[in-house]
Amino acid sequence: MLLKPLSFAGGTFAMYSLLCRHADIGILPTKRMYLEEETLLRSQSTMGRKPSKLGKFFEKSITARRVLLFMAVLGMCMLIGDGILTPAISVLSAIDGLRGPFPSFSKSAVEVLSAAILIGLFLLQKYGTSKVSFLFSPIMAAWTFTTPIIGIYSIFHYYPGIFKAISPHYIVHFFLRNKKQGWQLLGGTVLCITGAEAMYADLGHFSKKAIQIAFLSSIYPSLVLTYAGQTAYLINNVDDFGDGFYKFVPRPVYWPMFVIATLAAIVASQSLISATFSVIKQSVVLDYFPRVKVVHTSPHKEGEVYSPEINYILMVLCVGVILGFGGGKAIGNAFGVVVIMVMLITTFLLTLVMIIIWRTPPVLVGLYFVPFVIMEGSYVSAVFTKITEGGWLPFAVSMILALIMFGWYYGRQRKIEYEMTNKVNLELLEELLARPEVQRVPGMCFFYSNIQDGLTPVLGHYIKNMSSLHAVTIFVTLRYLLVAKVDQRERILIKRLGPNGVYGCTVQYGYADSLSLAGGDDLGAQVVSCLRRHIQMSTDGRSAEEEIAQLQAARLAGVVHVRGKMRLYVGNDAGWFDKVMLRFYEFLHGICRSALPALGMPLQQRVEIGMLYKV
């Protein structure tokens, strides 16, 4: 089997996000800190033109919007499935080359050795790829330029007239002669086009022109010559179709090609593993996936991340696929389902973008949509005949992942909607503190909130039930920035809120920043130090001294870190959809990590305030 490392694409979700920015077709409002910006963008982009009929349909139909979101999530989950299948099929196919020179090397031994290589690769993930990534380009260059040379040799040696197969006459004749069997055989050709669905996945790193030049000048010619060489060999050796790659490699260069193929398989596996970490991390940041631990393995590159939980889950699944499926044919069937489903979903979403956003004329939309749907639909129908022969695996994994992401997103957005509707503003806070039964107790309280504009509803719940608030209360919001390290002068932003002793604090941090220990002080000490400087700079003379004295006295009286924990209560009067999805969300919420990163706060100073919100 020809090994062809794939890149990773999140194109389906990118197009869904584009649709949501230009039309009101999301299930629920996204985080409100971006709402005004998105509304402005939407009004500017649609200025002077009426919304499309299809856009109106999606805006009015909650069912259509749910289906659209689920389709986008499913496409992304199919690509996450690549992180399971690519390492398995690549390494297994490469190591299978040992059986040619050593017929006594059993199939079981190939599977065990492949599993061992993958286990070693997954165990090395925590160290990052920066130390060995400089080897990836030479390995892939060697693979790209050696396989077509062997292909050219095979063409001249076995069947120089192989390029007449490019003529459409032969494929038409093939289908007329084989009819249903010819259609079923389409499923076996899907792996020849794997990677096309991810061709522009690296636009964030390379320009469109660079990708086009690389593909047209090296990748595409290399693939055509290699496949042509394999085909020329198989025409004269029809019994070798089960191992067409290694059998067509000439004996004198067999072992060098085995080494290159094995190294290329490892690079392919690493690329998909790293891509899986990256997309999981982005999904967590966007609240589309339950919170998992994400570690940045490089202080200089934001994209180099590692997730222990995801790493070990991938390792178990990859090894399970190798040992459970055994032969590469079943894994190939599973791989084909992933690839062609992503292509079909991408076609549907791009068509929606053309109609709703670009306002492409219907004739041009039809010229794009009809041929691609017919072609990809034919492939989909063919690979679906392989469902019972291994194709069920990626579909099952993707459906499970899609349900997890869909349920988590839906629950998170319901909570955000409630928080933004019932947030505590300064006027309400002053009213609550003005009540005669509410007392200001000695001590300092760090109250954590994820709301940028306003205060969490848990605060109102806390004051009403406890009838108290600490003498100095600092509302802390953590803001993650896509930089390595935030300058110390911009790290902590302080502002004075209305009531006496109440402050707002925004802590900005990058992916290489440590919140638990920085400069010898924990986060609380850093905030207090910044607050003292803020008081000295913004308050005159004696008032500043009194405020600083109050701050010191509160800190000496005791420090407490309060985190609100709002849970959804799904009543019997809720709809069936809310009952299912929100109870599933609560289950996920109960087993995932805390929303707060490790802040280095002592255990005895932590307090969680629970609050039930009835749906």
Side-chain angles (χ1 to χ4, degrees), residues 373-388:
V373 165
I374 292 175
M375 180 174 58
E376 292 166 358
S378 300
Y379 275 109
V380 168
S381 62
V383 299
F384 266 45
T385 63
K386 308 291 186 181
I387 288 291
T388 58

Side-chain angles (χ1 to χ4, degrees), residues 50 87 291 309 316 456 538 579:
K50 297 180 180 179
R291 290 179 292 269
E309 295 98 331
V316 170
T456 173
S538 60
K579 285 182 180 179

